[in-house]
Amino acid sequence: MITTKDVEHIGWLARLKMEEEQLEGYAGQLNSVLDYFGQLDEVDTEGVEPTFHVLKVNNVFRDDEVTGCLTHDEATGNAPRTQDGYFKAPRII
């Protein structure tokens, strides 16, 4: 059971200033969370295999194969500005 004193200490550790009514509110909320975990502990999980993900997910990596690349004109074709076949960017300095 978490008391307001515990919440005050946690707040002190987190450098949070809390009013008295906030301490009581947070203590009640934290106790309800602990109660819920207590209910979960009562669930019979005998024979249930542990799962690590709710969906069956496999890696979707593709093979590392050499493929064709863009031509020079395809690579620079959508650039807003080019000059002499190169990308042209605004001057920075």
Side-chain angles (χ1 to χ4, degrees):
M1 169 129 188
I2 295 178
T3 64
T4 55
K5 197 78 171 169
D6 297 328
V7 176
E8 185 177 14
H9 181 69
I10 293 168
W12 179 81
L13 291 173
R15 304 292 190 254
L16 297 173
K17 183 179 179 183
M18 290 185 257
E19 303 297 327
E20 187 65 32
E21 61 267 4
Q22 288 178 312
L23 295 174
E24 294 172 5
Y26 289 135
Q29 291 175 8
L30 291 171
N31 281 320
S32 67
V33 170
L34 291 179
D35 290 342
Y36 182 70
F37 278 105
Q39 291 176 7
L40 291 177
D41 285 340
E42 296 172 4
V43 174
D44 182 20
T45 57
E46 187 71 31
V48 177
E49 291 188 30
T51 57
F52 303 101
H53 199 280
V54 294
L55 301 174
K56 187 172 184 174
V57 177
N58 296 323
N59 286 339
V60 290
F61 298 122
R62 65 175 172 79
D63 292 331
D64 189 16
E65 297 175 352
V66 176
T67 60
C69 61
L70 298 175
T71 64
H72 185 89
D73 290 336
E74 289 172 335
T76 59
N78 288 332
R81 294 172 51 194
T82 58
Q83 181 178 359
D84 299 329
Y86 296 101
F87 295 103
K88 186 171 183 179
R91 183 177 298 211
I92 297 174
I93 299 176

